[in-house]
Amino acid sequence: MLTINYKRSRVTISKESLEMFSRNSNEFLRHFVTVDEMWIHHNTPETKEQSKQWAFPGERAPKKAKMSLSTNKVMAMVFWDACGVTHIDYLKKVKAITGEYYSKLLDRSDIEAKTTAFGEKKCCYELLPHPAYSPDLAPCDYFLSPNLKKWLGGKRFGSNEEVITETNAYFEGLDKTYYLEGIKQLEKRWTKCIELKVDYVEK
């Protein structure tokens, strides 16, 4: 449950971000880079939609064995923009995600060649604020990660190396317009967040 302050923060930040986007949407989309971590398991159960089966009227649906996520997993730190994935860092063992770790990642992700702050300053980062407890306003959470999990549904991998190979192949196989579409949805979500004021943006 969001507190009053969190709700106000969601609206305020959405207004600020929408204003920045509206000033020059093409420039915004060209420079916007986002990142988040996601766990990729050695086996991921199919979603309810994926596991549906046809049955004749009056016929009982076939019983299915309940599957759970495997304990073997890899964490992927995925950097991406409107053109695609710019860098992925895989963590095979659990470790603390610190500011130092992120700093080193930025050095390896070629993000500096991509970003230019709006205005006169060049070659620097401009960090967009993000409201707390708001995955509905994060492109990784409402777009990239859910679609990856759907694709992984029902697949089994025997090692971390297989997971990494298949995940890389998945991202490389996506059209560039796919990534652009995910980031462009931010405008609609910011707008809807302002209109709703309280509720999460579902779609």
Side-chain angles (χ1 to χ4, degrees):
M1 299 295 290
L2 292 169
T3 65
I4 295 297
N5 288 335
Y6 286 142
K7 292 173 183 177
R8 288 173 179 168
S9 176
R10 280 169 55 82
V11 174
T12 299
I13 290 176
S14 291
K15 287 180 179 179
E16 293 174 353
S17 300
L18 188 60
E19 182 181 351
M20 179 182 290
F21 179 88
S22 300
R23 286 203 300 268
N24 193 331
S25 59
N26 290 332
E27 190 76 359
F28 181 95
L29 292 170
R30 190 163 70 91
H31 293 297
F32 183 86
V33 181
T34 186
V35 58
D36 201 1
E37 66 270 7
M38 54 188 74
W39 284 111
I40 304 176
H41 295 258
H42 282 208
N43 71 275
T44 302
E46 291 182 327
T47 64
K48 289 184 178 179
E49 184 177 353
Q50 289 175 318
S51 62
K52 284 181 179 178
Q53 293 183 351
W54 287 101
F56 290 103
E59 194 178 56
R60 288 186 177 182
K63 291 184 178 181
K64 301 173 186 175
K66 187 176 181 179
M67 292 180 60
S68 58
L69 290 168
S70 65
T71 55
N72 294 323
K73 56 187 178 180
V74 178
M75 178 179 280
M77 302 290 296
V78 184
F79 289 79
W80 60 290
D81 58 19
C83 294
V85 171
T86 60
H87 180 75
I88 306 180
D89 192 61
Y90 292 98
L91 298 177
K92 300 179 183 180
K93 295 182 180 180
V94 177
K95 63 180 289 187
I97 307 298
T98 63
E100 182 182 359
Y101 169 75
Y102 266 112
S103 178
K104 290 179 179 179
L105 269 184
L106 289 173
D107 292 336
R108 300 203 304 268
S109 66
D110 295 328
I111 193 173
E112 189 167 344
K114 171 76 180 177
T115 57
T116 303
F118 297 102
E120 297 181 357
K121 293 182 179 179
K122 301 292 182 179
C123 297
C124 61
Y125 308 113
E126 182 171 356
L127 183 63
L128 289 181
H130 181 77
Y133 306 111
S134 298
D136 56 327
L137 301 178
C140 287
D141 285 306
Y142 69 70
F143 185 76
L144 196 69
S145 180
N147 289 337
L148 172 61
K149 289 179 179 178
K150 286 181 182 178
W151 179 80
L152 290 171
K155 292 183 170 64
R156 290 177 176 271
F157 304 104
S159 66
N160 289 338
E161 287 67 31
E162 288 183 18
V163 171
I164 293 172
T165 298
E166 290 295 323
T167 302
N168 286 338
Y170 168 77
F171 286 127
E172 290 170 2
L174 296 173
D175 191 86
K176 287 185 177 181
T177 56
Y178 171 87
Y179 298 96
L180 177 61
E181 178 60 29
I183 294 177
K184 287 175 69 175
Q185 287 181 27
L186 272 172
E187 180 187 14
K188 296 178 181 178
R189 286 178 171 267
W190 286 328
T191 301
K192 199 164 185 179
C193 178
I194 296 168
E195 294 171 350
L196 294 174
K197 295 183 180 180
V198 178
D199 297 327
Y200 280 109
V201 180
E202 296 293 337
K203 293 182 181 180

